[in-house]
Amino acid sequence: EMLCLVNMLGFLRERSPKLPLEWASPPIISGLADVSWKQNSESAWSRKVRQLAGRSIEVGSLLEFHSRLGSDCIMPHYDPWRSTTTDVVRQAVIPLSRQGRGGVSYATLLKGVWSPPRCLVTHTWSNLFVDLVAAVIADAVG
């Protein structure tokens, strides 16, 4: 009975956050840049989800990035047995992907031609970054 009540009240329903439309940008594809995009937050939400879901890097690029950690240029103090994913993102990925006063995703910097991701990698920010890299490699080699 409690589960039915929770469901009826809407606690288990999937909801898209209400994006402030002034933050949304019009579509880049020519011919679609009409006024209707401003009035359809679901459409803006769907485009953003597709954009985020399409971000990926190849295993080789991840290995190359990892091999550069600890160099004079990229996070010189990197210690594979102490540096967490948070440490690497804040002290290597973000500085590398900075452009002007903002930045882009690191995956965007690496991409030449878009290709869909083959799998989803989830992680814990507090785990060692080397463990994340090892898990990705282990999955890639089967």
Side-chain angles (χ1 to χ4, degrees):
E1 291 177 23
M2 183 61 142
L3 186 57
C4 289
L5 179 61
V6 167
N7 190 33
M8 285 175 36
L9 293 175
F11 290 114
L12 299 179
R13 290 190 193 129
E14 184 178 328
R15 293 186 186 155
S16 301
K18 299 296 180 202
L19 296 176
L21 293 178
E22 64 272 6
W23 290 359
S25 59
I28 296 172
I29 302 169
S30 63
L32 295 179
D34 60 22
V35 182
S36 65
W37 72 270
K38 291 182 180 180
Q39 297 167 347
N40 190 346
S41 64
E42 196 63 36
S43 178
W45 172 255
S46 296
R47 280 193 304 277
K48 181 52 82 173
V49 167
R50 278 193 305 277
Q51 177 196 28
L52 293 174
R55 289 184 185 171
S56 66
I57 65 170
E58 297 290 328
V59 175
S61 297
L62 177 62
L63 281 173
E64 193 272 329
F65 170 77
H66 185 261
S67 71
R68 292 170 47 204
L69 291 173
S71 69
D72 290 337
C73 299
I74 302 174
M75 199 175 167
H77 54 283
Y78 174 73
D79 178 352
W81 310 118
R82 297 187 70 181
S83 298
T84 65
T85 300
T86 298
D87 297 334
V88 172
V89 167
R90 292 192 178 184
Q91 298 166 30
V93 174
I94 292 174
L96 286 172
S97 58
R98 191 159 264 320
Q99 292 185 346
R101 299 184 80 185
V104 297
S105 74
Y106 188 72
T108 301
L109 289 178
L110 298 179
K111 284 288 184 189
V113 176
W114 184 84
S115 60
R118 294 187 198 115
C119 67
L120 169 71
V121 176
T122 186
H123 59 80
T124 302
W125 291 99
S126 59
N127 280 354
L128 295 178
F129 183 70
V130 72
D131 290 342
L132 173 61
V133 173
V136 169
I137 294 168
D139 181 71
V141 298

